[in-house]
Amino acid sequence: MVNIIRYKYSVILLLVFFFNTRYPRYGTFAQNIEQLTKITVNEAAPETRNYFVERRSYGTRTETEPPRYVRTLNLTGIDIFRDIYWLDVGLDYRLRYEYRNNDFRRNINTVDEPVLLRTRAFLALREIWDPFRFTIELEDARRYNSQFNRDIRDVNEFEPIQAFVELYFKEGLGAERPLSIKAGRMAFEFMDRRLIARNEWRNTTNTFQGFRATFGQQINDWQLNMLAVQPLERLKYDLDRPIEEQWFYGTIGNWRRWSHIVTLQPYYLGLRQDGGRSNIDRDIHTAGLRGYGIVGNTGFDYDLQVIYQFGRHGTEQHSAFASTSEVGYTFDHLWLPRLALFYGYASGDRDPTDNKNQRFERLFGFARPWSSNDYFQMENISNPKLIFEFSPAKKLRIDTAYAIYWLASDTDRWNAANLRDRSGKSGNFIGQEYNIRIRYKLTSCIDTSTGYAYFKPGEFTRNTGRSENSHFFYIEVSINAFK
């Protein structure tokens, strides 16, 4: 309890400090377009400077706030709402059929054909009562036609995934530099989504309860996010509840002053768990730096990240490392083909008998960028990947990839498949995956996605009892009620 009070007061003191400080404005204007290849300057309009450059790296684009399916009511095209600028609304329905032959996340080799349904509704009141704002987002997630027991990965019925109040000061830190303070239940994403994500692919959503503060906005040359929250325990049929023994806190920076060369994202994240009766005590600290950008008009882009973790894991000293790197090239062609090479690494525990834990703690990240099968997480992995993306028509996008997976430590686990050889004698080659995804925007309100992923097990997987290949096919339809 003393630690929780200390975290809360630390956040409050930092908020007071930043709120009473005024920051200078900088001198260049950057006009952004999707997948920007250069920064343009307009000294005549300093109040509208935009330093934001979108990343090009595969699968790392964060969900917006509010989410992309949300519209301001006066922009929905409904004439009677043309003057209602102060209300955001959204209604989204997603249906996905999956065919899984030998799903490595299950402990048996069989065919499963689940149907996943997810409905979301969003309502937010803003501007009219500033600085007071309010947001609520409801989700209903269900799964049918599966031979396995329902789990919290797919089922979370009638759940408010967001319900928070907000103090929003439009010029709290100066012109075009707002200050936002939120309290309540929230779902959000940061950095490249590998550590903090809503997890849009999965049928259910990562949610938290607590406090967030945002200094500045996306177009500014700098932006700072702070959080002190409790993860929520997902319950299939009851209201989710905070995990009382866990607190997740941290600071995430965005430095965009040099975004024509690099956008820098330094961050610190802390996870504290008081073990109680059923868990172990953990105090994990994560410090990282991400840098990404587009190299002028050359067609090249990059996304690099290094992460170090330290602290305590039960009675063990925790010391872990991870890194990701991706270099891509977009060809000068009407289809905008992009070829990229990715490599990701997250350490594993080297010796299960010593007093040290080197297994990287993935926190609350998104697993799918590692594998379209959803087989891998950001722990004990060494993963090169070749990616190719292109858009042969305005409404059509296709991406495909070939990936290889090794254990970073051959004595540690492959978590998703629940496989491990503590002796390390089974090798470290997990397997290889090929995948393809086709996305087509059928109408302004309907998006479709079709994908296939093939996984071939390697030496480690065969030696630990799973030797058959895996096939995964899906068809997904998303319907947005508003344009």
Side-chain angles (χ1 to χ4, degrees):
M1 180 60 70
V2 172
N3 287 324
I4 293 173
I5 293 172
R6 186 174 71 239
Y7 297 147
K8 288 184 176 179
Y9 276 101
S10 298
V11 172
I12 291 171
L13 289 172
L14 285 169
L15 291 177
V16 172
F17 173 78
F18 281 103
F19 179 66
N20 287 281
T21 304
R22 291 294 182 266
Y23 295 89
R25 298 192 297 271
Y26 298 96
T28 60
F29 167 79
Q31 183 180 11
N32 172 64
I33 59 173
E34 176 79 7
Q35 297 186 345
L36 190 67
T37 56
K38 64 179 180 179
I39 300 277
T40 58
V41 178
N42 183 356
E43 295 291 351
E47 71 280 0
T48 57
R49 299 181 185 120
N50 187 344
Y51 289 88
F52 178 69
V53 173
E54 183 63 86
R55 91 299 166 268
R56 289 186 181 177
S57 49
Y58 178 74
T60 61
R61 183 178 182 180
T62 56
E63 179 60 280
T64 58
E65 295 188 46
R68 293 184 181 90
Y69 73 88
V70 174
R71 301 290 183 271
T72 304
L73 204 54
N74 67 337
L75 301 178
T76 59
I78 303 174
D79 190 58
I80 61 174
F81 298 141
R82 63 181 180 274
D83 296 324
I84 304 180
Y85 63 90
W86 43 266
L87 195 65
D88 289 339
V89 295
L91 182 61
D92 180 75
Y93 175 76
R94 187 180 78 180
L95 180 150
R96 184 166 72 234
Y97 161 78
E98 296 184 353
Y99 171 87
R100 289 187 176 270
N101 186 341
N102 190 23
D103 186 351
F104 276 80
R105 301 173 305 170
R106 310 294 186 181
N107 58 7
I108 60 172
N109 182 351
T110 187
V111 173
D112 194 35
E113 299 182 71
V115 176
L116 305 174
L117 309 178
R118 189 184 73 187
T119 305
R120 287 178 175 174
F122 185 97
L123 185 70
L125 187 69
R126 62 184 182 89
E127 292 192 40
I128 193 169
W129 288 341
D130 275 359
F132 299 100
R133 299 185 174 191
F134 174 76
T135 295
I136 185 167
E137 185 178 13
L138 304 175
E139 177 178 273
D140 183 71
R142 303 175 182 236
R143 187 189 73 195
Y144 298 99
N145 198 49
S146 174
Q147 61 177 292
F148 297 100
N149 292 332
R150 292 175 179 174
D151 54 47
I152 59 173
R153 182 167 52 202
D154 297 328
V155 178
N156 194 11
E157 296 184 0
F158 298 115
E159 185 64 35
I161 58 174
Q162 296 204 86
F164 62 84
V165 293
E166 179 181 12
L167 289 176
Y168 185 86
F169 303 94
K170 188 174 182 178
E171 296 186 354
L173 302 172
E176 298 298 323
R177 206 181 289 273
L179 168 64
S180 166
I181 303 171
K182 298 175 181 177
R185 182 172 293 197
M186 291 166 278
F188 46 83
E189 298 187 322
F190 286 117
M191 291 93 75
D192 63 354
R193 306 196 296 169
R194 289 188 172 92
L195 294 177
I196 306 176
R198 283 173 58 110
N199 212 322
E200 288 299 299
W201 163 261
R202 196 182 63 206
N203 215 39
T204 58
T205 302
N206 289 340
T207 51
F208 305 88
Q209 184 168 298
F211 307 93
R212 284 181 57 200
T214 303
F215 306 89
Q217 59 180 324
Q218 193 177 71
I219 67 172
N220 293 153
D221 54 352
W222 67 263
Q223 185 181 20
L224 187 69
N225 291 278
M226 302 178 66
L227 57 93
V229 295
Q230 290 179 286
L232 293 186
E233 178 187 1
R234 290 191 302 277
L235 302 173
K236 290 179 288 187
Y237 310 114
D238 297 318
L239 189 67
D240 293 354
R241 60 191 178 203
I243 303 175
E244 295 293 341
E245 63 271 16
Q246 278 193 9
W247 275 89
F248 182 50
Y249 56 94
T251 302
I252 301 151
N254 289 272
W255 178 254
R256 306 186 184 99
R257 185 72 189 277
W258 310 321
S259 57
H260 59 291
I261 300 172
V262 62
T263 294
L264 294 174
Q265 292 182 324
Y267 55 89
Y268 163 78
L269 304 170
L271 177 65
R272 183 172 182 83
Q273 175 177 290
D274 295 323
R277 296 180 179 179
S278 57
N279 295 308
I280 63 173
D281 290 334
R282 292 196 298 164
D283 192 8
I284 307 297
H285 304 271
T286 303
L289 177 63
R290 179 192 182 199
Y292 72 87
I294 298 171
V295 186
N297 296 318
T298 65
F300 284 99
D301 63 88
Y302 64 92
D303 192 334
L304 310 173
Q305 181 174 213
V306 291
I307 314 168
Y308 176 64
Q309 287 184 339
F310 58 96
R312 300 295 298 179
H313 181 90
T315 60
E316 297 179 323
Q317 177 185 351
H318 182 83
S319 179
F321 173 78
S323 67
T324 61
S325 57
E326 181 171 329
V327 177
Y329 180 77
T330 301
F331 295 87
D332 185 12
H333 187 276
L334 184 64
W335 289 10
L336 297 176
R338 177 179 179 268
L339 182 66
L341 181 62
F342 166 86
Y343 177 72
Y345 176 89
S347 61
D349 192 32
R350 291 193 290 268
D351 185 351
T353 64
D354 66 8
N355 198 37
K356 297 180 180 179
N357 178 47
Q358 294 93 14
R359 181 189 298 155
F360 190 83
E361 167 57 54
R362 69 186 186 99
L363 299 175
F364 306 96
F366 184 30
R368 190 165 163 80
W370 296 95
S371 161
S372 291
N373 276 298
D374 205 18
Y375 284 171
F376 297 94
Q377 302 163 349
M378 197 171 181
E379 64 167 49
N380 194 32
I381 189 172
S382 176
N383 169 217
K385 180 184 296 187
L386 185 64
I387 305 162
F388 185 59
E389 309 170 80
F390 60 102
S391 180
K394 183 178 180 180
K395 298 181 179 180
L396 178 63
R397 292 176 293 167
I398 302 174
D399 59 78
T400 184
Y402 171 70
I404 307 174
Y405 303 95
W406 286 274
L407 299 173
S409 170
D410 55 12
T411 58
D412 202 0
R413 68 187 184 186
W414 174 17
N415 187 39
N418 194 28
L419 297 177
R420 183 176 188 177
D421 180 356
R422 292 176 178 267
S423 71
K425 295 179 180 179
S426 295
N428 62 2
F429 180 40
I430 305 173
Q432 50 192 315
E433 176 186 287
Y434 168 76
N435 64 70
I436 185 169
R437 177 176 58 167
I438 302 171
R439 289 174 288 176
Y440 183 72
K441 193 169 188 63
L442 192 62
T443 72
S444 60
C445 296
I446 302 176
D447 292 289
T448 65
S449 180
T450 303
Y452 170 74
Y454 167 77
F455 179 80
K456 182 178 181 179
E459 177 189 15
F460 165 80
T461 308
R462 294 193 302 269
N463 289 340
T464 50
R466 299 292 295 271
S467 59
E468 298 296 323
N469 299 338
S470 167
H471 301 270
F472 171 43
F473 171 79
Y474 70 90
I475 300 175
E476 179 180 284
V477 178
S478 296
I479 303 174
N480 185 348
F482 303 101
K483 295 181 180 180

